[in-house]
């Protein structure tokens, strides 16, 4: 199984062999600015809706989109 980055239900990242590799690919490609880490407060380090899911390796091409954190 592979993993990819999603925004809500839209796949926006390329498939990777592990969940961590999916986050790393998203970081290198500019989709995110930091790899999420659990904090003491349990807050969101990424914009709401951004997550990694398991995918079939041939499950399609990701789409490119802008993701806003809602602070502007």
């Amino acid at each position: 199984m592979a993993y990819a980055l999603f925004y809500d239900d839209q796949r926006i990242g390329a498939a990777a062999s592990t969940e961590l590799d999916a986050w790393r690919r998203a970081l290198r490609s500019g989709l995110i600015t930091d790899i999420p880490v659990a904090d003491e407060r349990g807050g969101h380090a990424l914009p709401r809706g951004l997550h990694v899911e398991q995918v079939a390796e041939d499950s399609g091409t990701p789409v490119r989109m802008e993701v806003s954190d809602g602070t502007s």
Side-chain angles (χ1 to χ4, degrees), residues 7 19 26 29 41 44 46 50 52 54 56 60 70:
Y7 183 72
E19 189 173 353
S29 68
R41 296 177 294 148
H44 290 278
L46 297 170
L50 203 56
V52 168
Q54 275 191 327

Side-chain angles (χ1 to χ4, degrees), residues 10-48:
Q10 187 81 44
R11 180 176 163 183
I12 61 172
S17 59
T18 68
E19 189 173 353
L20 180 57
D21 284 341
W23 288 117
R24 286 179 178 154
R25 283 182 183 211
L27 182 64
R28 284 192 304 266
S29 68
L31 292 171
I32 59 174
T33 57
D34 201 4
I35 294 178
V37 190
D39 65 8
E40 292 177 6
R41 296 177 294 148
H44 290 278
L46 297 170
R48 195 173 296 278

Side-chain angles (χ1 to χ4, degrees), residues 4-13 47-55 59-63 65 67:
L5 185 67
F6 283 77
Y7 183 72
D8 290 331
D9 294 331
Q10 187 81 44
R11 180 176 163 183
I12 61 172
R48 195 173 296 278
L50 203 56
H51 60 281
V52 168
E53 290 182 16
Q54 275 191 327
V55 297
S59 65
T61 304
V63 296
M65 65 183 294
V67 178

